[in-house]
Amino acid sequence: MATLDIAASEPEQLLGQMAERGWSSYCIAGLDSASIFRELGRIGNYLGTRVAGRAGSLEEVIQPRGTDDAHPRSLSSRYGLGALPFHTELSHRTKPCRYLLLGCIDPGSPAAATMLLDWRNLRFSPQEIDLLEAAPILVRTGRRSFYSTILAPGGVFFRYDPACLEGLDDRGRSALRLVEARIDGAASKADVHHWRQGDILIVDNWRVLHGRSPSDHGSGRRLARILIDA
C-alpha cells in the first residue's frame, strides 16, 4: 500500500511552496511507474496543459545516457554520464515549458541527485539585467533555429542551455559568460534533491535552473517526466 511521506501533495500547497523557493517535492512510497505518471498527471492537469518533450511524447521516462546514445542536440550528447550543467528545460523552443514534473521510478545505484538553482539568486545588477534582456543570442535547433535573449522582457522567464545557445555579437557572448560565471559561483549553494523511489518533484522552469550530478552507466536511474505549459 502506498504511503504519503509528506502531506504537501495538494496543488494549493505545492503552489505555495513554489512561490517561496521555485520548486516543491513530496513522496508517495510504493507507487509503480504507471501510478507515478497518474500522480504527475493529476498535478499537471491542475497547473496547465501538457506539452511534448524532445521525442514528441507527453509522458517520458528519462535515464542517464552516454554521448553515443543521446539525442544529437541534447545536453547528454555533450556531457554524457558526467554532471549535466544547470539549464532551463526546453530552452530550444520559443517559449520554454512553465513547469517540469518529475517522479522517481528508480533512484538507481549509485543515485544521481538533481540540483536546483533559482536564477533570482544569481545577484544580477540592474545593468546586467538590461544586458540579459537585450543581448541577442542564437538558439540552435536545427532548421528551426531562432534569435532570442537569455532573459525574456520583464524577467518573465530565464532561458539558459549551454548546448544550444550562442552569442551573436560581443554583447551576446558577454551575456553568456556572465551567466556561466554566476552559475559557477552559486553552484555550491544550490538546493540538492536526493531521489527516493516515489519522490515527486515540481519545478517552476521559468525561474529555477536544474542540473544532475554524475551517473554511472547502467545505474538503473529512471525518472518519469511530464512538461506543462501554464
Side-chain angles (χ1 to χ4, degrees):
M1 180 178 178
T3 59
L4 183 63
D5 291 337
I6 301 175
S9 63
E10 291 309 310
E12 296 84 355
Q13 293 173 293
L14 297 175
L15 286 175
Q17 292 179 0
M18 284 192 290
E20 179 180 351
R21 62 185 182 182
W23 61 275
S24 182
S25 67
Y26 58 98
C27 183
I28 306 179
L31 293 185
D32 58 17
S33 59
S35 299
I36 287 174
F37 271 116
R38 282 196 294 271
E39 177 65 9
L40 294 181
R42 181 181 74 87
I43 300 299
N45 291 339
Y46 179 88
L47 295 174
T49 303
R50 295 191 198 189
V51 295
R54 189 183 288 273
S57 177
L58 295 176
E59 294 184 351
E60 302 171 295
V61 175
I62 59 172
Q63 55 191 3
R65 296 186 181 277
T67 54
D68 294 338
D69 299 328
H71 188 285
R73 290 190 297 273
S74 67
L75 280 170
S76 293
S77 70
R78 178 179 295 188
Y79 299 96
L81 298 173
L84 290 187
F86 287 101
H87 62 283
T88 306
E89 195 71 28
L90 299 189
S91 282
H92 65 286
R93 297 189 183 170
T94 53
K95 185 180 73 171
C97 62
R98 177 63 193 273
Y99 297 108
L100 167 65
L101 278 60
L102 299 171
C104 184
I105 299 170
D106 187 334
S109 181
T114 293
M115 287 79 70
L116 303 155
L117 183 62
D118 189 340
W119 77 263
R120 301 177 188 179
N121 294 333
L122 298 181
R123 301 185 180 278
F124 296 116
S125 69
Q127 293 76 21
E128 291 169 339
I129 292 291
D130 290 342
L131 175 68
L132 297 178
E133 289 185 344
I137 58 169
L138 176 64
V139 183
R140 291 197 174 277
T141 178
R143 291 177 296 175
R144 298 183 179 180
S145 298
F146 59 94
Y147 303 109
S148 186
T149 60
I150 294 174
L151 190 60
V156 174
F157 63 81
F158 195 88
R159 180 198 308 276
Y160 183 70
D161 185 332
C164 69
L165 302 188
E166 179 182 329
L168 289 175
D169 59 13
D170 288 341
R171 290 187 305 154
R173 290 185 284 272
S174 294
L176 287 171
R177 287 195 298 268
L178 170 65
V179 172
E180 181 180 2
R182 290 298 167 81
I183 288 176
D184 287 346
S188 62
K189 299 178 182 178
D191 293 314
V192 180
H193 185 80
H194 296 283
W195 290 99
R196 302 169 295 170
Q197 194 280 329
D199 272 358
I200 304 294
L201 179 64
I202 300 96
V203 180
D204 183 343
N205 188 53
W206 286 4
R207 173 178 167 185
V208 174
L209 305 164
H210 67 285
R212 190 205 69 211
S213 64
S215 181
D216 288 351
H217 183 72
S219 70
R221 184 186 194 261
R222 292 185 299 145
L223 301 181
R225 180 171 67 184
I226 289 178
L227 308 175
I228 298 294
D229 266 347

